[in-house]
Amino acid sequence: SGLDDSYRGLSLAMPLKEAAFAAAQWRDERAERTGSVNTLLLGRGTVRGFNTDIGGFLGALRENGVTEVSRARIVGAGATAASAMVALAEAGAETVEVIARTPSKAMPILQAAGALGVTATAIALDDVDRFGSVDATIATLPGGTTVSDASAVGLAETGGVLLDAVYAPWPTRLAEAFTALGKPAASGELMLLHQALLQVRVFVNEDVHAPLVNEDVILAAMRAALMGD
């Protein structure tokens, strides 16, 4: 409320996403579904909130050849897992395994899945024998989280494409397990890139779904700045 007209909006990271949700006077559907806002658009006398993390997950999956998902897996049960669940639902997932150290902590994610029409089950991280075969895995564990070799290999053997939300340290033990089997493993930088493009859409067009003029050129420049590609 103290910002002047020179501010178009704000890009927000944890732990500000719930505070941003509360500050928004209008929220897009993805924000409402997750209770999380990472983009605030200012002006017109209204603070508008958006969740571009979900679109970031979808963009990263598409870049790794995943456009449709039937069975999927989320590793972790924190705030980022909620956005991952919505992304997988939008990608067509019918069933999702939520892998957590403490399965009881996954209950909010399972409830969110039910509201999205997705059948979800919680499985302990070390209960390798219960892991099913999935098309894609989204890992939402914090950077530096220790995953046992048995769990990492079990997740990789059945996990399809891996999108790991961690930026650093990289590669994670989970990513190493996937690449050792010749499976794609993308870091959180790819998700960050695609969600940031959607933020630019919001700031320029006031619409997360409205492509930018010369968007391919803009995305390439953003990729080069972020990844050095």
Side-chain angles (χ1 to χ4, degrees), residues 167-189:
Y167 310 132
W170 185 262
T172 61
R173 178 65 190 92
L174 194 54
E176 290 175 339
F178 272 73
T179 55
L181 295 175
K183 296 184 176 183
S187 78
E189 282 191 336

Side-chain angles (χ1 to χ4, degrees), residues 69-87:
V69 176
S70 176
R71 294 179 55 83
R73 173 183 294 140
I74 299 171
V75 184
T80 305
S83 291
M85 182 63 77
V86 175

Side-chain angles (χ1 to χ4, degrees), residues 103-120:
S104 61
K105 293 184 178 180
M107 286 306 300
I109 307 301
L110 301 189
Q111 292 170 354
L116 294 165
V118 175
T119 300

Side-chain angles (χ1 to χ4, degrees), residues 92-112:
E94 298 174 355
T95 61
V96 176
E97 295 179 353
V98 181
I99 310 298
R101 293 183 183 279
T102 307
S104 61
K105 293 184 178 180
M107 286 306 300
I109 307 301
L110 301 189
Q111 292 170 354

Side-chain angles (χ1 to χ4, degrees), residues 63 186-187 189-190 193-194 216-229:
E63 194 164 317
S187 78
E189 282 191 336
L190 194 58
L193 172 69
H194 285 281
D216 290 347
V217 175
I218 294 169
L219 181 62
M222 293 171 68
R223 187 189 305 273
L226 179 64
M227 303 177 178
D229 293 345

Side-chain angles (χ1 to χ4, degrees), residues 5-228:
D5 292 341
S6 66
Y7 286 86
R8 177 64 165 168
L10 298 171
S11 171
L12 300 146
M14 290 298 292
L16 298 173
K17 295 180 182 181
E18 291 182 358
F21 181 89
Q25 297 162 311
W26 175 94
R27 309 175 190 94
D28 73 349
E29 183 177 359
R30 287 170 170 172
E32 293 286 3
R33 284 181 170 179
T34 58
S36 175
V37 162
N38 71 329
T39 310
L40 288 175
L41 180 64
L42 309 179
R44 298 190 181 182
T46 302
V47 178
R48 285 167 281 176
F50 300 80
N51 181 323
T52 67
D53 286 338
I54 294 166
F57 280 126
L58 291 171
L61 288 171
R62 283 195 301 271
E63 194 164 317
N64 280 279
V66 180
T67 56
E68 293 184 6
V69 176
S70 176
R71 294 179 55 83
R73 173 183 294 140
I74 299 171
V75 184
T80 305
S83 291
M85 182 63 77
V86 175
L88 291 170
E90 290 190 16
E94 298 174 355
T95 61
V96 176
E97 295 179 353
V98 181
I99 310 298
R101 293 183 183 279
T102 307
S104 61
K105 293 184 178 180
M107 286 306 300
I109 307 301
L110 301 189
Q111 292 170 354
L116 294 165
V118 175
T119 300
T121 56
I123 301 173
L125 183 59
D126 59 358
D127 199 355
V128 178
D129 291 340
R130 290 188 60 200
F131 298 168
S133 179
V134 299
D135 306 313
T137 297
I138 297 180
T140 65
L141 298 172
T145 300
T146 300
V147 177
S148 72
D149 288 345
S151 294
V153 171
L155 291 168
E157 287 178 341
T158 58
V161 170
L162 171 68
L163 176 58
D164 198 325
V166 170
Y167 310 132
W170 185 262
T172 61
R173 178 65 190 92
L174 194 54
E176 290 175 339
F178 272 73
T179 55
L181 295 175
K183 296 184 176 183
S187 78
E189 282 191 336
L190 194 58
M191 175 262 185
L192 181 67
L193 172 69
H194 285 281
Q195 71 81 25
L197 179 70
L198 300 183
Q199 289 185 317
V200 177
R201 286 184 181 180
V202 170
F203 296 143
V204 173
N205 294 333
E206 300 189 8
D207 185 348
V208 73
H209 300 294
L212 302 163
V213 176
N214 296 322
E215 185 163 284
D216 290 347
V217 175
I218 294 169
L219 181 62
M222 293 171 68
R223 187 189 305 273
L226 179 64
M227 303 177 178

